[in-house]
Amino acid sequence: MPLPIVAWEELAHNYRGTILLGNGASIAVDRRFQYRSLLEHAREENLLPEDAQRLFDFFDTQDFELILRIVWQATNVNRSLQIPDEQTHAAYLRVRDCLIEAVRDVHPEYQEVREHLPHIHRFLREFNTVVSLNYDLIVYWATAYGLDIANRHSFKDCFVGGGLLHDDWRKLRRPIRGDLRTTLVFYPHGSLILCRNRVEQEQKIHNLDNGLLDAILQRWESEEVVPLFVCEGTAQQKINTIQGSYYLSTVYREVLASRQDNLTVYGWGFGEQDLHLLKRFAAAGIQRVAVSVYRGDQAYCRRVDEILHQGLGQNILVEFFDSESAGCWRYPAED
């Protein structure tokens, strides 16, 4: 018997807690995000030099961020000790330039997606917490869009004081300066807007104008920082990267497991490599989950229904809604 799939507006009043966004959300905005991985794109487009490929093979990873950070640290150590080593620095530059070119290929510019931002902003502000698994700038642009609107609602990514993570992120839920509500935004797998400096300090790259993508890539080219995001690899490889980052581990340990009774999932495929996140949500006391479904895919519904009941408990309520229905994500609400 088919599982019911309803319009988002039929469920929305029961789901105001946390929303988890997967890659399907980005694909709904721009089909260029449909690539399987940045590394695969680089290989298909012959962007990856042979020495860079050897690094990925040696460390048994598909994670650009990890390889770039390892080679960058080696370069900085050699420079600080005045050890001549042009080969390491040259390898770093080739990996970095490969990543920059791959990001430029697949990531849309602000002008190409801005028509969707008001609708995404309106949708996301209905939740207390936004958790985005995507490294791209869609969520950042959508939340920044609201800065120009007197809607008495604020989005906070919990980076304050020169772009550093606020240790007591829970305090930031309190509305200030006349706001009525606050939504906190987190990136469990990092984001293009996040970076590490030479002493492993994690920061947010600030630039609110339309040239944010260029500003990020220019910071990478400066050799002063490396990106902080993990979008590829096995579950264990992702967990290893998360544990090696103060920001990512804080989100993983504290935010995902914080008390909440409802969860909305939009555009997440529930892939094996990301189910470790579900284990963290299991500690949150979730009672009901709403999951988006693309074009009535019943096989997806049945698989997800089983995964959620196994992961969060047999007594939870699992409901499904049409991912293209009015009022959800980039789709305009009905007047």
Side-chain angles (χ1 to χ4, degrees):
M1 183 175 180
L3 291 169
I5 302 173
V6 302
W8 167 245
E9 62 183 10
E10 294 185 33
L11 303 179
H13 62 284
N14 286 325
Y15 292 92
R16 292 290 184 261
T18 296
I19 182 165
L20 177 70
L21 300 171
N23 192 50
S26 297
I27 293 172
V29 174
D30 194 295
R31 304 300 290 183
R32 277 173 285 185
F33 288 117
Q34 208 163 10
Y35 61 89
R36 290 183 61 186
S37 75
L38 280 175
L39 183 59
E40 183 174 303
H41 173 82
R43 285 169 173 160
E44 290 177 352
E45 299 299 319
N46 295 316
L47 303 177
L48 195 67
E50 184 179 344
D51 58 348
Q53 181 59 64
R54 289 201 299 270
L55 287 166
F56 283 96
D57 293 340
F58 180 85
F59 289 99
D60 190 24
T61 184
Q62 297 185 59
D63 190 345
F64 258 115
E65 188 269 350
L66 174 62
I67 295 300
L68 192 61
R69 179 159 48 96
I70 289 172
V71 185
W72 183 63
Q73 288 171 334
T75 297
N76 287 332
V77 169
N78 290 337
R79 281 181 172 176
S80 68
L81 297 177
Q82 298 182 336
I83 299 173
D85 188 358
E86 290 304 316
Q87 186 174 353
T88 303
H89 185 245
Y92 161 72
L93 294 179
R94 283 191 286 270
V95 175
R96 182 203 66 189
D97 292 346
C98 178
L99 176 58
I100 289 174
E101 193 165 351
V103 170
R104 285 195 185 280
D105 282 352
V106 303
H107 201 295
E109 296 288 345
Y110 177 87
Q111 301 296 334
E112 297 175 281
V113 301
R114 67 176 180 177
E115 66 180 290
H116 303 301
L117 301 182
H119 307 303
I120 296 173
H121 173 90
R122 192 175 299 114
F123 175 63
L124 294 182
R125 75 186 184 197
E126 298 302 318
F127 298 93
N128 294 326
T129 306
V130 175
V131 175
S132 177
L133 303 182
N134 306 324
Y135 72 89
D136 61 69
L137 301 176
I138 302 300
V139 168
Y140 185 83
W141 279 334
T143 56
Y145 166 85
L147 295 175
D148 299 327
I149 303 173
N151 59 12
R152 304 188 71 182
H153 184 101
S154 63
F155 287 91
K156 299 177 184 177
D157 57 22
C158 300
F159 280 87
V160 296
L164 302 178
L165 177 67
H166 194 294
D167 287 329
D168 193 356
W169 56 269
R170 292 176 180 84
K171 282 187 176 180
L172 298 181
R173 288 198 183 278
R174 189 182 308 122
I176 60 174
R177 297 171 186 165
D179 288 335
L180 297 178
R181 290 186 63 245
T182 297
T183 297
L184 299 188
V185 182
F186 298 96
Y187 304 94
H189 288 162
S191 168
L192 289 179
I193 63 170
L194 305 181
C195 64
R196 306 184 205 232
N197 63 19
R198 290 189 178 94
V199 293
E200 296 286 287
Q201 191 178 53
E202 298 168 350
Q203 303 171 325
K204 184 177 77 171
I205 298 174
H206 285 280
N207 187 312
L208 292 181
D209 64 25
N210 299 347
L212 177 59
L213 182 58
D214 282 338
I216 290 168
L217 300 182
Q218 286 169 12
R219 285 296 303 277
W220 295 359
E221 289 174 338
S222 73
E223 300 189 41
E224 296 175 354
V225 300
V226 287
L228 175 58
F229 69 88
V230 50
C231 59
E232 297 158 22
T234 65
Q236 190 56 55
Q237 287 171 336
K238 287 187 175 183
I239 291 173
N240 291 343
T241 300
I242 288 169
Q243 291 174 338
S245 160
Y246 177 68
Y247 171 76
L248 299 183
S249 62
T250 298
V251 175
Y252 187 68
R253 287 183 291 101
E254 299 180 12
V255 176
L256 300 188
S258 61
R259 193 70 185 174
Q260 53 198 305
D261 63 9
N262 66 86
L263 172 67
T264 302
V265 177
Y266 190 93
W268 189 33
F270 289 83
E272 183 67 31
Q273 72 277 11
D274 287 330
L275 290 184
H276 59 279
L277 299 170
L278 202 58
K279 294 179 181 178
R280 301 304 302 157
F281 279 117
I286 292 170
Q287 300 298 311
R288 59 171 67 228
V289 185
V291 183
S292 71
V293 184
Y294 182 66
R295 304 282 169 91
D297 187 345
Q298 282 292 320
Y300 174 78
C301 291
R302 289 190 293 271
R303 184 174 68 85
V304 168
D305 186 72
E306 181 179 356
I307 289 173
L308 285 171
H309 280 105
Q310 287 180 350
L312 300 181
Q314 294 299 319
N315 294 326
I316 68 165
L317 174 64
V318 179
E319 302 178 282
F320 297 96
F321 65 95
D322 179 1
S323 65
E324 298 175 303
S325 54
C328 71
W329 192 234
R330 73 169 183 86
Y331 299 96
E334 294 179 349
D335 294 332

